[in-house]
Amino acid sequence: MCGIFGIITDREQKLGPILVESGKRLAYRGYDSVGCATVTSDGTIDLRKGVGRIEDVSAELDFPAMRGRRGITQLRWATFGAPSYENAQPHLDSDGDMVGAHNGNVVNNVQLRELFLREGLAVRGTNDGETCVHAVERHFDRNGGDMLAAIRAAYDDLEGDYAFVITHREEHRLYAIKKGSGLVAGLGEGFACVSSDLPSILPLTRQVLYIRDGEIVVLSPQRVELYAVHDGAPIERQSERYDGPLEVAEKGGYPHFMLKEIHEQPVVAGELLHLLNGSRHVDRFLEMLTTGGDRPVYLVGCGTSYHACLLGAYYLNQLAGLAAVPVLGPQFIEQYSQSLGVADRAVFVSQSGETKDILNAVKVMRQRGGRVLGVLNVLGSTLMQASDVYLPLGCGYEISVPATKTFVNQAALFLYLAYRLAKRDTGELDALPSLLSQTLQATGEPSRQVARDLNDWRDMYYLGYGLSHPIALEGALKLKEITYAHCEGIFSSEFKHGPLSAVHDGYPVVFITAPGDEMMMINHVNEVTTRGGRAIAIAAEHTALRANVHDYLSLPPSDRFLSPILATIPAQLMAYHMSVARGLDPDFPRNLSKTLTVD
Ligand code: F6R
C-alpha cells in the first residue's frame, strides 16, 4: 500500500516525465491520490498533488512540466485520513523548507499530530505521511540543521512500519529510511533514486541496493550511502546488478492487465516448472519442510495466497501424507504462537513478499526459533530476505490488483513439492501449461456468456468439495473484489447447514468439481436446483453432472490434482467479465491496493 519514489540528479532538468513514469509503475500500490514534488537548483519547491489516478491528476496539474534536480512521487492508498488534497502526499513541513512522503503506517499518528499542534507546527491534514515530515522538522531545528540526526531522532518517535523519503530545499541530498516497508535504491549515470519497489527503478538503472530495516539512505547524484539508524554509523554495502527481466507495464493488446495476466498463465506455469527443475533451493526447501518429525507444517498466507495454502495442504496431505495446516498470517500468531518451537517450520506465501500480516507472522516464528520458508514472487522483497530458504514464483510483475497468475503458480509450486515428497515423477506436471492453454481456449467464451447472464445478480455462491474448495474461495474472492457484488465460497457439503436458505428462483451457485468428486457433488447440486437455484458447473466433462446443472464450463480432461488449478481460469474469467460488464476497472478495484504493508 502506497508507493514512494525519489530521485536526485546532477543537473536541473524536466523531472516531471520521470516522476510520472515511475509513479505509473507504482500505481498498483495505491490510487486514491497522487502527488509530485520537485526541488530546483536554487531550492524552490514545486508541489502538485490531487485526488484520483495518476493519469488524471497528472493531466490536470501538468506533472510533466515540473523541473528540478530532486523529485519525489507518492501514490496513496488511504489509511490515516480520507483521500483529499490535504492528505495527498508529498507533504511540506511547517515553513515549506522540507518535502517528504511515506508508505506504511505510523500507528501513533494521532498522538503525534496533537503534540505537533500543541508545539505550533503547521499541521494541515490528518495523514501520517505528514507526521513523518513534521517529526523530522521538529528534530532538525534541535539538531542544528543536521538532517541525518533529525531523521534518527524522528525514527524513535514514529511507531509502526513505514518507509519515507524526504529532502530539505537547501541541501542537495535526498534521504530515505526503511522500517518494515519495502525500499530499494538505484544508482545510475548522474543520478540516484529510491523507491518502494523495483519496477519504477529498472527503466532507469539496473544497479540496485536493497535497503534493510533500520537503515537510512542518503542519496546524492553519484552516491548512495547507508547509515544505521541506531548509532548513525556508516554501513558498507555495494550496489548489485539486477539481471532479471525488465517488465514493461504494458497491456500487450489486452484491454486490462488482469486479462493479459490470465492469458500469461500457461507460459508462467511452464517457466515455474523449468525453474523448479533446475533449482538447487528445492532440495533445501524440501529438507527443511520435512525435518519437524511429527509436527505439522504451517502454510501461511493472506487473501489469494491463503487460498493457495489451502490447496497446498490438500496436495501435501493427499499426495505425500504430510500434515499441513493452512492458516492466515494474523491467525497463525493468535492461534499457534504459544506452541511454536525450534522444531516447527512454516511456509510463508506472498506474491509481494511485503504483506505486513505475513511479515508479522514471520517475526513471531523467528522469535520462537522455528524455520521460515518463503514462497514469493517479488525478488528482493522483505520476505525473501527474512527466509531461511525461499522459492520464487517466477511470474514476472503482476500489475493488476487481483492476483491471477501468481495464484496459479503458487498452486503449481505446492503440487510440485508434493510430487517430490511423494517421489512421483514431476514430469507428469509438464502437461500443465498446455492444459492451461486448452482451458483458456475452452472456457473463454462460455465464461463470458455465463457472466453476462448472471450480471444482474448482486449475490451468489461458489461451492467446492475437497480439493476444489480452495478454488471456490478464490473464485468468490475474485468476484467480490472486482464486481463489488457479494459472493461467498463454501465447502459444498456445508451449504445445507445454513446458507441453502438463501436460494430462490434463479439464484446462481457455481459448483467446482474435481474428477472423482462428481457423484458427491450431484447431491449438493440437487439440493440447490430443487429449490429453484441455477447451478453452474466448472468441471471436466461428466455426463451425470452435466445432466443436473444449467450451465457447464467444461475443463479439459486431467487428473484430480491438476483439475483445481485449471478450474481457476473460468472463475477468474467470470469475475473479469462481470466487472467489465458493470463498467468497472478490474485492474484497480476501489478501496484496494496490491501491496498491503499495514496491519
Ligand atoms: C486478491 C489479492 C489479495 C492478496 C493478498 C495477499 O486478488 O490479490 O487477496 O492475495 O493481499 O497479498 P500477497 O500475496 O502479496 O501477500
Side-chain angles (χ1 to χ4, degrees):
M1 52 136 315
C2 294
I4 52 174
F5 173 82
I7 187 162
I8 180 163
T9 62
D10 59 0
R11 64 191 164 82
E12 181 141 336
Q13 58 186 289
K14 242 188 184 182
L15 279 183
I18 296 176
L19 298 179
V20 171
E21 194 45 42
S22 309
K24 282 184 182 166
R25 287 170 164 270
L26 291 172
Y28 66 91
R29 299 178 73 98
Y31 34 89
D32 287 329
S33 67
V34 56
C36 289
T38 51
V39 189
T40 57
S41 302
D42 67 2
T44 306
I45 297 177
D46 180 0
L47 173 62
R48 307 180 190 190
K49 55 186 184 174
V51 175
R53 301 249 189 117
I54 186 160
E55 294 80 7
D56 303 330
V57 179
S58 170
E60 192 190 329
L61 303 178
D62 199 6
F63 286 165
M66 294 174 81
R67 292 188 65 82
R69 289 182 67 186
R70 284 168 276 165
I72 294 175
T73 314
Q74 204 268 7
L75 289 298
R76 179 163 187 248
W77 183 72
T79 51
F80 279 109
S84 67
Y85 174 80
E86 286 75 22
N87 290 327
Q89 302 200 45
H91 295 285
L92 294 171
D93 70 340
S94 298
D95 43 18
D97 285 339
M98 290 182 200
V99 62
H102 95 316
N103 72 28
N105 257 358
V106 175
V107 292
N108 58 340
N109 179 45
V110 173
Q111 297 90 310
L112 286 176
R113 279 184 65 250
E114 281 166 6
L115 173 74
F116 298 159
L117 283 166
R118 277 201 303 277
E119 289 181 352
L121 300 185
V123 179
R124 302 171 184 97
T126 51
N127 172 244
D128 48 343
E130 185 182 353
T131 296
C132 293
V133 177
H134 290 309
V136 176
E137 159 188 27
R138 184 166 165 263
H139 289 291
F140 183 77
D141 298 333
R142 295 177 189 173
N143 282 280
D146 181 338
M147 278 294 274
L148 195 61
I151 292 171
R152 287 183 53 219
Y155 177 89
D156 290 337
D157 296 338
L158 297 164
E159 292 172 20
D161 285 316
Y162 53 81
F164 71 83
V165 55
I166 189 163
T167 191
H168 190 289
R169 66 187 192 85
E170 283 171 0
E171 193 184 340
H172 192 51
R173 286 212 176 106
L174 211 58
Y175 294 82
I177 185 163
K178 169 167 161 55
K179 184 179 181 237
S181 293
L183 197 67
V184 193
L187 191 58
E189 198 65 38
F191 74 89
C193 58
V194 68
S195 175
S196 308
D197 215 341
L198 270 180
S200 56
I201 291 185
L202 290 182
L204 302 171
T205 176
R206 285 174 166 267
Q207 213 52 43
V208 300
L209 236 112
Y210 296 103
I211 313 304
R212 298 180 188 151
D213 283 338
E215 292 180 349
I216 299 175
V217 201
V218 183
L219 301 127
S220 12
Q222 281 83 17
R223 260 195 322 278
V224 175
E225 293 166 327
L226 299 178
Y227 295 89
V229 74
H230 71 277
D231 60 2
I235 298 168
E236 277 307 316
R237 190 176 319 131
Q238 296 303 312
S239 62
E240 53 191 273
R241 196 177 153 72
Y242 177 87
D243 280 322
L246 169 66
E247 303 278 342
V248 182
E250 281 169 2
K251 293 176 191 154
Y254 289 96
H256 297 99
F257 285 111
M258 182 178 178
L259 195 59
K260 176 181 175 239
E261 287 160 4
I262 289 172
H263 281 84
E264 282 171 359
Q265 291 177 133
V267 173
V268 296
E271 281 169 4
L272 174 74
L273 294 173
H274 179 69
L275 214 114
L276 293 174
N277 282 326
S279 165
R280 57 196 160 76
H281 292 298
V282 173
D283 291 340
R284 236 187 113 219
F285 198 97
L286 289 171
E287 196 188 307
M288 232 178 248
L289 201 63
T290 47
T291 49
D294 287 344
R295 311 276 294 174
V297 54
Y298 298 95
L299 310 181
V300 191
C302 294
T304 289
S305 297
Y306 168 66
H307 298 155
C309 292
L310 282 168
L311 185 57
Y314 280 102
Y315 286 156
L316 291 171
N317 195 270
Q318 293 196 8
L319 281 159
L322 189 74
V325 179
V327 58
L328 298 164
Q331 186 189 9
F332 176 72
I333 300 172
E334 295 298 318
Q335 202 168 333
Y336 298 108
S337 60
Q338 292 315 307
S339 59
L340 294 174
V342 288
D344 283 305
R345 309 83 79 214
V347 181
F348 295 90
V349 182
S350 172
Q351 184 285 127
S352 60
E354 300 294 347
T355 299
K356 177 94 186 318
D357 288 338
I358 294 301
L359 299 179
N360 289 345
V362 168
K363 205 180 280 176
V364 167
M365 190 58 160
R366 279 260 167 268
Q367 284 160 359
R368 308 291 302 188
R371 293 298 194 161
V372 174
L373 293 83
V375 169
L376 46 100
N377 193 42
V378 178
L379 296 176
S381 58
T382 310
L383 176 59
M384 183 181 120
Q385 295 173 40
S387 300
D388 292 310
V389 58
Y390 73 91
L391 291 175
L393 290 167
C395 293
Y397 289 114
E398 192 176 60
I399 305 286
S400 175
V401 168
T404 53
K405 57 180 176 172
T406 50
F407 175 77
V408 159
N409 271 16
Q410 287 165 347
L413 186 139
F414 274 124
L415 186 54
Y416 181 93
L417 295 177
Y419 260 60
R420 286 285 303 269
L421 288 176
K423 306 217 180 322
R424 275 179 69 157
D425 178 10
T426 54
E428 287 174 42
L429 302 178
D430 290 347
L432 179 63
S434 143
L435 286 167
L436 287 166
S437 291
Q438 290 170 44
T439 309
L440 277 166
Q441 188 73 26
T443 62
E445 185 49 28
S447 303
R448 202 178 62 80
Q449 272 172 26
V450 174
R452 197 192 49 209
D453 290 354
L454 299 186
N455 209 33
D456 288 341
W457 286 87
R458 301 206 62 81
D459 189 19
M460 58 188 276
Y461 279 92
Y462 262 89
L463 270 50
Y465 185 82
L467 282 160
S468 303
H469 175 225
I471 312 303
L473 297 187
E474 178 57 10
L477 174 62
K478 279 306 83 110
L479 202 119
K480 56 193 156 193
E481 184 179 8
I482 59 174
T483 69
Y484 315 155
H486 171 254
C487 185
E488 215 178 316
I490 289 193
F491 201 107
S492 58
S493 57
E494 277 294 293
F495 202 55
K496 60 182 174 289
H497 293 291
L500 184 58
S501 64
V503 172
H504 55 99
D505 283 349
Y507 190 95
V509 182
V510 181
F511 293 86
I512 304 184
T513 315
D517 294 334
E518 294 92 343
M519 299 315 285
M520 163 72 76
M521 196 58 111
I522 287 171
N523 297 312
H524 303 155
V525 167
N526 284 329
E527 286 157 12
V528 168
T529 50
T530 50
R531 289 163 178 88
R534 173 174 180 165
I536 302 119
I538 299 180
E541 256 328 301
H542 187 274
T543 314
L545 182 61
R546 188 177 269 280
N548 282 279
V549 297
H550 299 88
D551 308 275
Y552 208 102
L553 296 169
S554 187
L555 304 175
S558 68
D559 72 12
R560 54 188 275 103
F561 298 110
L562 286 170
S563 174
I565 304 182
L566 307 184
T568 311
I569 287 185
Q572 293 167 341
L573 286 172
M574 279 214 301
Y576 170 79
H577 289 302
M578 283 173 79
S579 174
V580 174
R582 287 169 193 225
L584 303 172
D585 181 349
D587 285 340
F588 296 105
R590 72 177 177 211
N591 305 339
L592 300 183
S593 161
K594 183 121 187 109
T595 311
L596 289 162
T597 56
V598 293
D599 285 307

